[in-house]
Amino acid sequence: QVQLMESGGGLVQAGGSLRLSCAASGRIFSINYMAWYRQTPGKQRELVAQITSGGNTNYADSVKGRFTISRDSAEKKVYLQMDSLKPEDTGVYSCNVHALALPDGVRDYWGQGTQVTVSS
């Protein structure tokens, strides 16, 4: 079964930086894309950043120029470098991987989430 292990969340002051990491493990044959989502109270979960197997990236407008997503395909890891953090970036950040794996086939897999809190 695919497992996603996230790390790197925490408390930081506005203007500071954090780096999130996510490592995928299990019987994974291929990964189409990897992404980070965030959930804030009262709002729907939103896509923060996504990176495809070809290295193409996509960012939410609210984080463009401040966040950078990257991946280590060989290690099945994805990272989110978050700079110039703002209080509105506060939320639970979850790793998402769209992959072909056993026993569930092609589907989205999710991590449990890591809390990011930005104080003003």
Side-chain angles (χ1 to χ4, degrees):
Q1 190 171 358
V2 174
Q3 290 188 325
L4 302 182
M5 184 65 70
E6 299 139 329
S7 61
L11 172 65
V12 65
Q13 288 188 330
S17 298
L18 283 174
R19 188 179 191 232
L20 305 183
S21 299
C22 173
S25 62
R27 300 178 66 182
I28 300 171
F29 293 100
S30 62
I31 294 176
N32 296 321
Y33 58 79
M34 308 178 83
W36 288 95
Y37 283 75
R38 69 184 174 195
Q39 177 79 57
T40 54
K43 293 185 178 180
Q44 288 187 328
R45 183 170 58 190
E46 64 172 337
L47 174 67
V48 176
Q50 181 187 76
I51 185 166
T52 69
S53 57
N56 294 318
T57 57
N58 181 39
Y59 295 93
D61 288 341
S62 60
V63 307
K64 283 180 181 177
R66 300 188 297 121
F67 290 12
T68 303
I69 189 170
S70 60
R71 64 187 285 178
D72 181 335
S73 297
E75 296 294 326
K76 300 184 180 64
K77 293 181 178 179
V78 63
Y79 307 97
L80 186 67
Q81 178 66 41
M82 304 185 293
D83 299 319
S84 302
L85 282 160
K86 304 176 181 180
E88 50 264 42
D89 293 318
T90 295
V92 176
Y93 285 69
S94 298
C95 177
N96 164 257
V97 172
H98 188 81
L100 168 62
L102 290 178
D104 297 322
V106 178
R107 51 160 282 191
D108 281 308
Y109 297 89
W110 293 89
Q112 289 190 329
T114 184
Q115 177 70 44
V116 171
T117 303
V118 184
S119 63
S120 58

